[in-house]
Amino acid sequence: MTSETVVLAYSGGLDTSVAVPWLRETHGHEVVTLTVDVGGGVDAGAVQRRALAGGARSAIVVDARAAFVADYIWPALQAGSLYQGQYPLATALARPLIARLLVDAAHETGAGLVAHGCTGKGNDQVRFDVAVAALDPSLRVIAPMRVGMGMTRDEELAYARTRGIDVPSGPSSPFSIDANLWGRSIEAGVLEDPWTAPPAEAFEWTIDPAAAPREAREVTIGFEDGVPVSLDGEALDGVTLVERLNREAGAHGIGRIDHVEDRLIGIKSREIYEAPAAVVLHAAHAALEQLTLSRELLAYKRSVGDRLATLAYDGLWFSELGVALRAFVTHTQRFVSGEVRLRFAAGAAAVTGRRSPHSLYDIGLATYDRGDSFDHASAVGFIAIWGLPVRTQAAARGDGSDGARSLLDELGADRATATPEPVGVTR
Ligand code: ARG
């Protein structure tokens, strides 16, 4: 039979290392592996050696960290996207990028197939399959771990051993872990009981907040058009800025998230996240928007950010709605420039200051001190009209409270009455 080429998203771990010979032997495919560094740490030499040992025709490794930050992380930050209000979407955001690179590699190598190592129970299979379909509907996607391979860990180890592939065979991690620049996702093992507190060994990027240094650390983050561009006045590229914040905020115990989340396929699952940079940057970005955007825009934009979070989570990053909503968000960011100061202490990042050349904060209007420029008398007319519907309603139907009894009586008010002293009359 003529062998068809398949591009496999390859992590270098046990599952995908077994998938390389399995795809060749079972389906007669020519295998090209693609390993994408999105900040999880990739040993390119080792990964390529292992892929070729498994019989891959070629092994591509690409450092996509800068593209990940610019095209996926920053748009999600600008949108304020947190899935179910908690999860900064690290894993979810990397999937459409990896899918893009898979599609590019398929075009480059003349492959009609792409493959990934996801199982049939999670979100990631949906994200890969749908993103590939959005970019090139003529490509077929296969997932050996979902259907076909069906090996236990011991069977996989034996399979690799008989083919001379050196796979990491140490004690398997008690958790399932996925990590990239925007965060580390940890699930399974003892974490499957949502009542069980995450054990210390689940964490790698953050120290226990209870053991955080006593001295607080102040950081100032500079933004331009909603994008972080500097740390403590030093201009930094996105990758360096995120990496540095992960280290520094993690050292103060910032960024732990314990989430029982709703997977797209209808299962509730307990996941722990470590996302120090994401937590800090979302707090800082929100503070700067609160200074520079109107109340109406803030409220509307929040619903857009929520919708974009769900779209990213659900694998619909490349949908028309996703593209259109991101264009809206970009437009809202042209005044979100300035600086935010935060204090890292005891596991939390607290905003302590913000400033912007586009600030909507007017000290003359806000002050209770000298220099007050607000026209107090004009409040009377404003309130008369603002409260008009409520006044009309009360006049027509009663006072709007639910009981006929006085609240004073209900609360058993203790009344004391004094006889007024006669007041002397002065002339
Ligand atoms: N629940 C997260 C998501 O769907 C992370 C999934 C990967 N997590 C893992 N521990 N392997 O985006």
Side-chain angles (χ1 to χ4, degrees):
M1 74 181 164
T2 54
S3 59
E4 215 181 337
T5 301
V6 55
V7 180
L8 169 69
Y10 183 62
S11 70
L14 178 60
D15 290 340
T16 48
S17 291
V18 169
V20 175
W22 187 86
L23 284 165
R24 222 161 42 85
E25 294 172 18
T26 314
H27 292 285
H29 294 319
E30 286 256 354
V31 182
V32 171
T33 63
L34 172 72
T35 306
V36 182
D37 183 1
V38 277
V42 170
D43 179 347
V47 158
Q48 285 172 317
R49 245 177 284 118
R50 197 171 296 147
L52 298 177
R57 184 178 82 201
S58 62
I60 306 169
V61 176
V62 52
D63 178 354
R65 291 176 304 160
F68 185 39
V69 172
D71 300 340
Y72 298 85
I73 292 178
W74 288 164
L77 175 68
Q78 290 176 310
S81 288
L82 296 170
Y83 179 62
Q84 297 192 312
Q86 283 190 269
Y87 167 39
L89 295 161
T91 300
L93 290 169
R95 298 317 183 210
L97 169 62
I98 297 171
R100 254 191 89 170
L101 293 165
L102 279 172
V103 171
D104 284 355
H107 293 165
E108 234 175 64
T109 59
L113 287 170
V114 298
H116 56 72
C118 302
T119 67
K121 240 173 126 168
N123 297 311
D124 285 331
Q125 51 165 348
V126 182
R127 298 171 184 150
F128 279 126
D129 291 20
V130 174
V132 169
L135 297 169
D136 183 349
S138 75
L139 287 171
R140 270 203 305 131
V141 186
I142 51 176
M145 313 290 305
R146 179 168 59 194
V147 180
M149 249 169 66
M151 291 182 220
T152 65
R153 186 182 149 80
D154 285 339
E155 288 166 348
E156 286 186 349
L157 282 172
Y159 191 93
R161 214 172 293 123
T162 56
R163 283 156 187 81
I165 308 165
D166 127 65
V167 285
S169 62
S172 68
S173 162
F175 309 108
S176 158
I177 292 159
D178 178 66
N180 65 44
L181 274 176
W182 204 225
R184 189 167 169 270
S185 311
I186 312 128
E187 67 180 350
V190 297
L191 300 173
E192 284 180 355
D193 178 354
W195 178 249
T196 298
E201 67 265 26
F203 299 105
E204 254 178 41
W205 291 10
T206 55
I207 67 159
D208 183 345
R214 292 180 70 96
E215 330 77 65
R217 152 118 163 77
E218 274 204 341
V219 292
T220 301
I221 301 169
F223 286 85
E224 248 163 53
D225 298 344
V227 168
V229 292
S230 69
L231 213 54
D232 295 328
E234 183 188 350
L236 294 175
D237 67 90
V239 173
T240 308
L241 190 144
V242 170
E243 284 176 343
R244 203 177 284 183
L245 269 181
N246 274 332
R247 265 197 315 278
E248 296 191 7
H252 283 267
I254 295 163
R256 294 185 173 186
I257 297 162
D258 184 338
H259 192 195
V260 172
E261 73 191 35
D262 286 284
R263 285 193 195 157
L264 171 58
I265 52 166
I267 298 174
K268 281 197 188 288
S269 92
R270 202 279 191 93
E271 190 110 32
I272 303 295
Y273 297 104
E274 291 185 286
V279 164
V280 169
L281 289 173
H282 270 291
H285 180 262
L288 192 57
E289 283 196 329
Q290 199 66 37
L291 187 72
T292 54
L293 302 184
S294 68
R295 183 174 84 153
E296 287 304 307
L297 182 53
L298 285 169
Y300 192 80
K301 186 177 168 286
R302 175 169 305 199
S303 69
V304 171
D306 284 349
R307 195 77 173 86
L308 277 168
T310 308
L311 290 173
Y313 191 86
D314 289 355
L316 298 174
W317 180 268
F318 294 117
S319 65
E320 282 288 356
L321 182 58
V323 173
L325 292 183
R326 282 194 295 279
F328 167 81
V329 170
T330 302
H331 192 76
T332 65
Q333 297 298 291
R334 62 207 201 286
F335 299 117
V336 187
S337 301
E339 285 184 317
V340 178
R341 191 181 59 239
L342 304 100
R343 199 164 176 274
F344 292 176
V351 171
T352 62
R354 66 292 270 162
R355 61 183 175 195
S356 167
H358 309 299
S359 173
L360 298 178
Y361 183 91
D362 183 330
I363 186 74
L365 293 176
T367 188
Y368 286 102
D369 227 319
R370 226 185 298 280
D372 182 357
S373 63
F374 183 73
D375 175 6
H376 290 241
S378 69
V380 178
F382 166 73
I383 293 165
I385 291 171
W386 177 251
L388 189 59
V390 176
R391 183 186 299 276
T392 308
Q393 176 189 308
R397 298 182 191 153
D399 69 355
S401 73
D402 42 11
R405 250 177 86 179
S406 148
L407 183 59
L408 274 176
D409 288 340
E410 230 170 88
L411 297 176
D414 181 7
R415 293 183 171 82
T417 323
T419 326
E421 297 276 311
V423 180
V425 181
T426 39
R427 288 172 213 273

